[in-house]
Short mmCIF file of all heavy atoms in Angstrom, two decimals:
data_model
loop_
_atom_site.label_atom_id
_atom_site.label_comp_id
_atom_site.label_asym_id
_atom_site.label_seq_id
_atom_site.Cartn_x
_atom_site.Cartn_y
_atom_site.Cartn_z
N MET A 1 62.19 161.61 79.59
CA MET A 1 62.93 160.35 79.26
C MET A 1 61.90 159.31 78.81
O MET A 1 61.04 158.89 79.59
CB MET A 1 63.59 159.92 80.53
CG MET A 1 64.38 158.63 80.34
SD MET A 1 65.31 158.18 81.84
CE MET A 1 64.17 157.02 82.55
N ALA A 2 62.01 158.91 77.59
CA ALA A 2 61.09 157.93 77.07
C ALA A 2 61.74 156.52 77.25
O ALA A 2 62.92 156.34 77.07
CB ALA A 2 60.85 158.13 75.58
N ILE A 3 60.91 155.55 77.56
CA ILE A 3 61.39 154.18 77.75
C ILE A 3 61.32 153.53 76.39
O ILE A 3 60.35 153.55 75.67
CB ILE A 3 60.51 153.42 78.79
CG1 ILE A 3 60.63 154.08 80.16
CG2 ILE A 3 60.92 151.96 78.84
CD1 ILE A 3 59.75 153.44 81.20
N ASP A 4 62.44 152.94 76.04
CA ASP A 4 62.54 152.25 74.73
C ASP A 4 61.67 150.99 74.72
O ASP A 4 61.73 150.18 75.64
CB ASP A 4 64.03 151.89 74.53
CG ASP A 4 64.32 151.35 73.11
OD1 ASP A 4 63.43 151.47 72.27
OD2 ASP A 4 65.39 150.80 72.93
N SER A 5 60.85 150.85 73.68
CA SER A 5 59.97 149.68 73.59
C SER A 5 60.76 148.40 73.48
O SER A 5 60.32 147.35 73.96
CB SER A 5 59.00 149.85 72.47
OG SER A 5 59.67 149.93 71.22
N GLY A 6 61.93 148.44 72.85
CA GLY A 6 62.78 147.26 72.77
C GLY A 6 63.27 146.79 74.10
O GLY A 6 63.40 145.62 74.35
N LEU A 7 63.53 147.77 74.99
CA LEU A 7 64.03 147.45 76.26
C LEU A 7 62.89 146.77 77.10
O LEU A 7 63.18 145.82 77.84
CB LEU A 7 64.49 148.73 77.00
CG LEU A 7 65.19 148.57 78.34
CD1 LEU A 7 66.39 147.66 78.20
CD2 LEU A 7 65.59 149.89 78.91
N ILE A 8 61.67 147.25 76.91
CA ILE A 8 60.54 146.60 77.60
C ILE A 8 60.37 145.18 77.11
O ILE A 8 60.15 144.27 77.90
CB ILE A 8 59.25 147.41 77.34
CG1 ILE A 8 59.39 148.78 78.00
CG2 ILE A 8 58.04 146.67 77.84
CD1 ILE A 8 58.23 149.72 77.70
N LEU A 9 60.55 144.94 75.83
CA LEU A 9 60.46 143.58 75.25
C LEU A 9 61.53 142.71 75.86
O LEU A 9 61.32 141.57 76.22
CB LEU A 9 60.49 143.64 73.75
CG LEU A 9 60.53 142.30 73.04
CD1 LEU A 9 59.22 141.53 73.31
CD2 LEU A 9 60.75 142.44 71.52
N LEU A 10 62.74 143.22 75.95
CA LEU A 10 63.86 142.45 76.50
C LEU A 10 63.61 142.13 77.97
O LEU A 10 63.91 141.02 78.42
CB LEU A 10 65.18 143.22 76.34
CG LEU A 10 65.77 143.22 74.96
CD1 LEU A 10 67.06 144.01 74.91
CD2 LEU A 10 66.00 141.83 74.41
N LEU A 11 63.04 143.08 78.74
CA LEU A 11 62.70 142.74 80.12
C LEU A 11 61.65 141.65 80.27
O LEU A 11 61.75 140.76 81.07
CB LEU A 11 62.23 144.03 80.82
CG LEU A 11 63.29 145.08 81.15
CD1 LEU A 11 62.67 146.33 81.70
CD2 LEU A 11 64.35 144.51 82.12
N PHE A 12 60.64 141.71 79.35
CA PHE A 12 59.65 140.67 79.36
C PHE A 12 60.25 139.32 78.99
O PHE A 12 59.97 138.30 79.61
CB PHE A 12 58.55 141.01 78.30
CG PHE A 12 57.57 139.92 78.11
CD1 PHE A 12 56.63 139.67 79.13
CD2 PHE A 12 57.54 139.15 76.99
CE1 PHE A 12 55.67 138.66 78.99
CE2 PHE A 12 56.59 138.14 76.82
CZ PHE A 12 55.69 137.87 77.84
N LEU A 13 61.16 139.31 77.97
CA LEU A 13 61.80 138.07 77.58
C LEU A 13 62.68 137.55 78.75
O LEU A 13 62.80 136.33 78.97
CB LEU A 13 62.70 138.30 76.36
CG LEU A 13 61.92 138.41 75.05
CD1 LEU A 13 62.88 138.79 73.92
CD2 LEU A 13 61.10 137.20 74.75
N ALA A 14 63.35 138.46 79.46
CA ALA A 14 64.15 138.05 80.57
C ALA A 14 63.33 137.40 81.72
O ALA A 14 63.73 136.38 82.31
CB ALA A 14 64.88 139.25 81.18
N LEU A 15 62.14 137.96 81.99
CA LEU A 15 61.22 137.35 82.96
C LEU A 15 60.78 135.97 82.53
O LEU A 15 60.72 135.04 83.29
CB LEU A 15 60.04 138.22 83.22
CG LEU A 15 60.34 139.51 84.04
CD1 LEU A 15 59.11 140.38 84.12
CD2 LEU A 15 60.77 139.13 85.43
N LEU A 16 60.43 135.87 81.24
CA LEU A 16 60.00 134.58 80.66
C LEU A 16 61.12 133.56 80.74
O LEU A 16 60.91 132.40 81.10
CB LEU A 16 59.54 134.82 79.21
CG LEU A 16 58.79 133.66 78.58
CD1 LEU A 16 57.48 133.38 79.29
CD2 LEU A 16 58.49 134.03 77.11
N PHE A 17 62.37 133.99 80.40
CA PHE A 17 63.55 133.15 80.48
C PHE A 17 63.79 132.67 81.90
O PHE A 17 64.09 131.49 82.13
CB PHE A 17 64.76 133.88 79.92
CG PHE A 17 66.04 133.07 80.03
CD1 PHE A 17 66.31 132.09 79.09
CD2 PHE A 17 66.95 133.35 80.98
CE1 PHE A 17 67.49 131.37 79.22
CE2 PHE A 17 68.10 132.65 81.11
CZ PHE A 17 68.38 131.64 80.19
N ALA A 18 63.67 133.58 82.86
CA ALA A 18 63.95 133.24 84.25
C ALA A 18 62.89 132.22 84.73
O ALA A 18 63.21 131.28 85.47
CB ALA A 18 63.90 134.50 85.15
N TRP A 19 61.64 132.40 84.37
CA TRP A 19 60.61 131.45 84.75
C TRP A 19 60.88 130.06 84.16
O TRP A 19 60.85 129.05 84.83
CB TRP A 19 59.26 131.97 84.28
CG TRP A 19 58.15 131.00 84.55
CD1 TRP A 19 57.51 130.75 85.72
CD2 TRP A 19 57.52 130.13 83.58
NE1 TRP A 19 56.53 129.84 85.55
CE2 TRP A 19 56.52 129.42 84.26
CE3 TRP A 19 57.68 129.88 82.22
CZ2 TRP A 19 55.72 128.49 83.58
CZ3 TRP A 19 56.90 129.01 81.55
CH2 TRP A 19 55.92 128.26 82.27
N GLY A 20 61.25 130.00 82.86
CA GLY A 20 61.53 128.75 82.21
C GLY A 20 62.80 128.08 82.78
O GLY A 20 62.81 126.88 82.98
N LEU A 21 63.81 128.93 83.05
CA LEU A 21 65.06 128.38 83.55
C LEU A 21 64.81 127.79 84.97
O LEU A 21 65.43 126.76 85.32
CB LEU A 21 66.11 129.49 83.62
CG LEU A 21 67.48 129.07 84.12
CD1 LEU A 21 68.12 127.96 83.23
CD2 LEU A 21 68.39 130.25 84.23
N ASN A 22 63.96 128.42 85.71
CA ASN A 22 63.69 127.87 87.06
C ASN A 22 63.02 126.49 87.01
O ASN A 22 63.37 125.59 87.75
CB ASN A 22 62.79 128.84 87.79
CG ASN A 22 62.82 128.68 89.33
OD1 ASN A 22 63.86 128.13 89.82
ND2 ASN A 22 61.86 129.09 90.00
N ARG A 23 62.12 126.31 86.01
CA ARG A 23 61.49 124.99 85.81
C ARG A 23 62.54 123.96 85.34
O ARG A 23 62.52 122.83 85.83
CB ARG A 23 60.34 125.09 84.81
CG ARG A 23 59.21 125.92 85.34
CD ARG A 23 58.10 125.99 84.30
NE ARG A 23 57.51 124.67 84.05
CZ ARG A 23 56.43 124.19 84.64
NH1 ARG A 23 55.78 124.90 85.58
NH2 ARG A 23 55.97 123.03 84.31
N VAL A 24 63.37 124.36 84.41
CA VAL A 24 64.42 123.41 83.93
C VAL A 24 65.42 123.14 85.03
O VAL A 24 65.87 121.99 85.12
CB VAL A 24 65.13 124.06 82.68
CG1 VAL A 24 66.37 123.30 82.30
CG2 VAL A 24 64.16 124.17 81.49
N ARG A 25 65.77 124.13 85.83
CA ARG A 25 66.73 123.91 86.95
C ARG A 25 66.24 122.85 87.88
O ARG A 25 66.98 122.03 88.35
CB ARG A 25 66.96 125.20 87.67
CG ARG A 25 68.00 125.14 88.70
CD ARG A 25 68.25 126.45 89.40
NE ARG A 25 67.06 126.89 90.16
CZ ARG A 25 66.99 126.86 91.48
NH1 ARG A 25 68.01 126.45 92.17
NH2 ARG A 25 65.91 127.29 92.11
N ARG A 26 64.92 122.86 88.19
CA ARG A 26 64.41 121.86 89.05
C ARG A 26 64.49 120.48 88.45
O ARG A 26 64.74 119.47 89.13
CB ARG A 26 62.93 122.21 89.37
CG ARG A 26 62.78 123.30 90.34
CD ARG A 26 61.34 123.51 90.72
NE ARG A 26 61.12 124.81 91.38
CZ ARG A 26 60.01 125.48 91.28
NH1 ARG A 26 59.04 125.04 90.58
NH2 ARG A 26 59.88 126.65 91.90
N MET A 27 64.22 120.38 87.11
CA MET A 27 64.21 119.06 86.46
C MET A 27 65.64 118.51 86.38
O MET A 27 65.87 117.35 86.60
CB MET A 27 63.60 119.14 85.04
CG MET A 27 62.10 119.35 85.07
SD MET A 27 61.34 119.25 83.44
CE MET A 27 62.49 119.96 82.33
N LEU A 28 66.62 119.39 86.07
CA LEU A 28 67.97 118.93 85.85
C LEU A 28 68.83 118.99 87.13
O LEU A 28 69.98 118.60 87.13
CB LEU A 28 68.68 119.83 84.78
CG LEU A 28 68.10 119.79 83.38
CD1 LEU A 28 68.85 120.70 82.47
CD2 LEU A 28 68.07 118.37 82.85
N ARG A 29 68.27 119.52 88.20
CA ARG A 29 68.94 119.66 89.46
C ARG A 29 70.26 120.39 89.35
O ARG A 29 71.32 119.95 89.81
CB ARG A 29 69.17 118.28 90.13
CG ARG A 29 67.86 117.47 90.29
CD ARG A 29 68.11 116.34 91.31
NE ARG A 29 67.03 115.38 91.35
CZ ARG A 29 65.83 115.58 91.71
NH1 ARG A 29 65.47 116.80 92.12
NH2 ARG A 29 64.93 114.63 91.75
N LEU A 30 70.17 121.59 88.66
CA LEU A 30 71.38 122.42 88.52
C LEU A 30 71.72 123.08 89.84
O LEU A 30 70.82 123.46 90.61
CB LEU A 30 71.14 123.54 87.52
CG LEU A 30 70.97 123.08 86.04
CD1 LEU A 30 70.68 124.30 85.17
CD2 LEU A 30 72.23 122.40 85.51
N GLY A 31 72.99 123.18 90.13
CA GLY A 31 73.41 123.88 91.35
C GLY A 31 73.38 125.37 91.19
O GLY A 31 73.14 125.89 90.08
N PRO A 32 73.61 126.09 92.25
CA PRO A 32 73.53 127.55 92.18
C PRO A 32 74.63 128.17 91.29
O PRO A 32 74.39 129.19 90.69
CB PRO A 32 73.71 128.00 93.63
CG PRO A 32 74.23 126.84 94.39
CD PRO A 32 73.83 125.61 93.61
N VAL A 33 75.78 127.48 91.17
CA VAL A 33 76.85 128.04 90.32
C VAL A 33 76.45 127.92 88.87
O VAL A 33 76.63 128.88 88.06
CB VAL A 33 78.19 127.31 90.63
CG1 VAL A 33 79.27 127.79 89.62
CG2 VAL A 33 78.62 127.54 92.01
N ALA A 34 75.94 126.83 88.47
CA ALA A 34 75.49 126.58 87.11
C ALA A 34 74.31 127.55 86.75
O ALA A 34 74.27 128.12 85.66
CB ALA A 34 75.07 125.15 86.87
N TYR A 35 73.40 127.70 87.71
CA TYR A 35 72.26 128.62 87.48
C TYR A 35 72.73 130.03 87.32
O TYR A 35 72.31 130.71 86.42
CB TYR A 35 71.33 128.48 88.65
CG TYR A 35 70.02 129.26 88.60
CD1 TYR A 35 69.04 128.86 87.72
CD2 TYR A 35 69.88 130.41 89.40
CE1 TYR A 35 67.86 129.60 87.65
CE2 TYR A 35 68.67 131.14 89.27
CZ TYR A 35 67.70 130.72 88.44
OH TYR A 35 66.51 131.41 88.36
N GLY A 36 73.65 130.44 88.17
CA GLY A 36 74.22 131.80 88.06
C GLY A 36 74.99 132.05 86.76
O GLY A 36 74.89 133.07 86.13
N GLY A 37 75.68 130.98 86.31
CA GLY A 37 76.40 131.10 85.03
C GLY A 37 75.48 131.29 83.87
O GLY A 37 75.77 132.12 82.98
N VAL A 38 74.42 130.52 83.86
CA VAL A 38 73.41 130.64 82.77
C VAL A 38 72.79 132.04 82.80
O VAL A 38 72.60 132.68 81.76
CB VAL A 38 72.35 129.56 82.87
CG1 VAL A 38 71.20 129.80 81.90
CG2 VAL A 38 72.98 128.20 82.66
N VAL A 39 72.49 132.59 83.97
CA VAL A 39 71.87 133.87 84.06
C VAL A 39 72.82 134.97 83.64
O VAL A 39 72.42 135.87 82.88
CB VAL A 39 71.40 134.14 85.57
CG1 VAL A 39 71.00 135.60 85.76
CG2 VAL A 39 70.23 133.21 85.91
N ILE A 40 74.10 134.86 84.01
CA ILE A 40 75.07 135.88 83.53
C ILE A 40 75.26 135.85 82.06
O ILE A 40 75.29 136.91 81.39
CB ILE A 40 76.43 135.63 84.25
CG1 ILE A 40 76.30 135.94 85.77
CG2 ILE A 40 77.57 136.39 83.63
CD1 ILE A 40 77.51 135.56 86.62
N VAL A 41 75.32 134.64 81.46
CA VAL A 41 75.46 134.59 79.99
C VAL A 41 74.20 135.18 79.34
O VAL A 41 74.32 135.88 78.32
CB VAL A 41 75.64 133.10 79.55
CG1 VAL A 41 75.49 132.91 78.02
CG2 VAL A 41 77.01 132.59 79.94
N PHE A 42 73.03 134.89 79.87
CA PHE A 42 71.80 135.47 79.29
C PHE A 42 71.83 136.99 79.40
O PHE A 42 71.48 137.68 78.42
CB PHE A 42 70.58 134.91 80.05
CG PHE A 42 69.27 135.48 79.55
CD1 PHE A 42 68.75 135.04 78.34
CD2 PHE A 42 68.64 136.48 80.23
CE1 PHE A 42 67.53 135.54 77.90
CE2 PHE A 42 67.42 136.99 79.82
CZ PHE A 42 66.91 136.53 78.63
N VAL A 43 72.24 137.55 80.49
CA VAL A 43 72.30 139.02 80.66
C VAL A 43 73.26 139.60 79.66
O VAL A 43 72.95 140.62 79.00
CB VAL A 43 72.70 139.38 82.14
CG1 VAL A 43 73.04 140.86 82.27
CG2 VAL A 43 71.56 139.05 83.09
N ILE A 44 74.43 139.01 79.46
CA ILE A 44 75.39 139.56 78.53
C ILE A 44 74.87 139.48 77.11
O ILE A 44 74.97 140.46 76.33
CB ILE A 44 76.72 138.73 78.62
CG1 ILE A 44 77.41 139.02 79.95
CG2 ILE A 44 77.69 139.04 77.45
CD1 ILE A 44 78.58 138.17 80.27
N VAL A 45 74.19 138.42 76.73
CA VAL A 45 73.61 138.27 75.40
C VAL A 45 72.51 139.31 75.21
O VAL A 45 72.45 139.96 74.16
CB VAL A 45 73.10 136.83 75.15
CG1 VAL A 45 72.23 136.75 73.91
CG2 VAL A 45 74.22 135.87 75.08
N MET A 46 71.67 139.52 76.21
CA MET A 46 70.56 140.50 76.06
C MET A 46 71.12 141.90 75.96
O MET A 46 70.62 142.70 75.15
CB MET A 46 69.58 140.39 77.27
CG MET A 46 68.71 139.17 77.19
SD MET A 46 67.56 139.29 75.78
CE MET A 46 68.21 138.00 74.78
N ILE A 47 72.15 142.22 76.69
CA ILE A 47 72.75 143.56 76.60
C ILE A 47 73.34 143.75 75.21
O ILE A 47 73.25 144.80 74.56
CB ILE A 47 73.83 143.80 77.68
CG1 ILE A 47 73.12 143.88 79.05
CG2 ILE A 47 74.65 145.01 77.38
CD1 ILE A 47 74.05 143.92 80.20
N ALA A 48 73.99 142.69 74.63
CA ALA A 48 74.56 142.75 73.33
C ALA A 48 73.46 142.95 72.27
O ALA A 48 73.63 143.77 71.35
CB ALA A 48 75.38 141.54 72.99
N VAL A 49 72.35 142.22 72.40
CA VAL A 49 71.27 142.32 71.44
C VAL A 49 70.65 143.72 71.52
O VAL A 49 70.40 144.35 70.52
CB VAL A 49 70.17 141.28 71.74
CG1 VAL A 49 68.89 141.56 70.97
CG2 VAL A 49 70.70 139.87 71.36
N TRP A 50 70.49 144.23 72.75
CA TRP A 50 69.89 145.56 72.91
C TRP A 50 70.81 146.62 72.36
O TRP A 50 70.37 147.60 71.75
CB TRP A 50 69.62 145.81 74.40
CG TRP A 50 68.98 147.14 74.64
CD1 TRP A 50 67.75 147.55 74.24
CD2 TRP A 50 69.57 148.24 75.41
NE1 TRP A 50 67.49 148.82 74.68
CE2 TRP A 50 68.60 149.25 75.41
CE3 TRP A 50 70.79 148.35 76.07
CZ2 TRP A 50 68.85 150.45 76.03
CZ3 TRP A 50 70.97 149.62 76.69
CH2 TRP A 50 70.03 150.59 76.69
N GLY A 51 72.14 146.45 72.47
CA GLY A 51 73.08 147.40 72.00
C GLY A 51 73.11 147.39 70.46
O GLY A 51 73.31 148.43 69.87
N GLN A 52 72.87 146.24 69.88
CA GLN A 52 72.88 146.18 68.41
C GLN A 52 71.66 146.83 67.79
O GLN A 52 71.70 147.34 66.70
CB GLN A 52 72.89 144.69 67.99
CG GLN A 52 74.19 143.96 68.17
CD GLN A 52 75.24 144.47 67.24
OE1 GLN A 52 75.00 144.88 66.13
NE2 GLN A 52 76.45 144.46 67.75
N THR A 53 70.54 146.86 68.52
CA THR A 53 69.35 147.44 67.96
C THR A 53 69.24 148.94 68.20
O THR A 53 68.34 149.60 67.70
CB THR A 53 68.10 146.76 68.63
OG1 THR A 53 68.16 146.98 70.06
CG2 THR A 53 68.07 145.31 68.33
N ARG A 54 70.16 149.53 68.94
CA ARG A 54 70.13 150.94 69.20
C ARG A 54 70.78 151.74 68.08
O ARG A 54 71.70 151.38 67.50
CB ARG A 54 70.81 151.28 70.52
CG ARG A 54 69.98 150.69 71.67
CD ARG A 54 70.22 151.44 72.91
NE ARG A 54 69.55 152.69 72.73
CZ ARG A 54 69.42 153.60 73.65
NH1 ARG A 54 70.01 153.41 74.80
NH2 ARG A 54 68.86 154.73 73.51
#
């Protein structure tokens, strides 16, 4: 089973996004519901992007 290089890139982007979102969340004082909503939208978009590239 070979790991797709595009999937590795998406995981790296997800970690980078989570780190940046955490910094923005502190500045904007987002609640846990808003934070969860942003994360869910990001996951859906990343799965869609990954699905398009396959």
Side-chain angles (χ1 to χ4, degrees):
M1 179 176 99
I3 297 178
D4 188 11
S5 61
L7 188 58
I8 294 172
L9 176 63
L10 286 179
L11 287 173
F12 175 73
L13 288 175
L15 288 174
L16 192 62
F17 176 78
W19 176 77
L21 182 61
N22 202 22
R23 293 180 62 94
V24 170
R25 183 178 68 105
R26 286 186 194 148
M27 290 188 324
L28 298 179
R29 304 198 192 292
L30 292 177
V33 174
Y35 184 72
V38 171
V39 169
I40 289 171
V41 168
F42 178 77
V43 168
I44 291 171
V45 168
M46 284 295 110
I47 290 172
V49 167
W50 181 64
Q52 290 290 328
T53 58
R54 294 205 72 175

